[in-house]
Amino acid sequence: QGEVINISSGKPISIRKVTELIVNMIGSGCPQFGQFDYRQGESMSLYADIEKANDLLDWKPIVNIEKGIAETIKWMKSCKNEL
């Protein structure tokens, strides 16, 4: 109870790659990569350790990043229509 459990692919991916996937899937946007200096200690990748999810829940990812983002976009669009 009260534990944080990461749910993800468990594979590192760059923030640039995630941004490019989203822009390509929604068909709009113009990211301004490199417009600002990185902050000291800033990470430019995303990675979630899924070991605890596997140990406690016997959980393993079954959806890749592309499908996960596509499903999230679809869900967000459906929520917008409900407002």
Side-chain angles (χ1 to χ4, degrees):
Q1 188 171 357
E3 292 192 47
V4 174
I5 299 175
N6 293 319
I7 303 295
S8 78
S9 70
K11 298 176 184 175
I13 187 167
S14 72
I15 293 169
R16 177 183 290 254
K17 177 69 174 173
V18 171
T19 303
E20 289 170 345
L21 284 169
I22 294 168
V23 167
N24 288 334
M25 287 181 189
I26 64 173
S28 67
C30 186
Q32 302 296 305
F33 299 118
Q35 295 295 312
F36 300 97
D37 293 334
Y38 297 132
R39 295 175 287 197
Q40 184 176 358
E42 185 172 18
S43 173
M44 295 314 297
S45 63
L46 303 169
Y47 172 73
D49 183 348
I50 60 172
E51 185 176 342
K52 188 188 285 187
N54 182 260
D55 291 346
L56 295 177
L57 307 173
D58 195 30
W59 183 87
K60 290 182 176 57
I62 58 171
V63 175
N64 66 27
I65 187 73
E66 291 83 0
K67 184 173 181 182
I69 290 173
E71 288 181 8
T72 301
I73 291 168
K74 182 179 174 182
W75 177 79
M76 291 295 293
K77 287 180 177 179
S78 73
C79 290
K80 181 180 176 185
N81 292 335
E82 292 179 9
L83 296 176

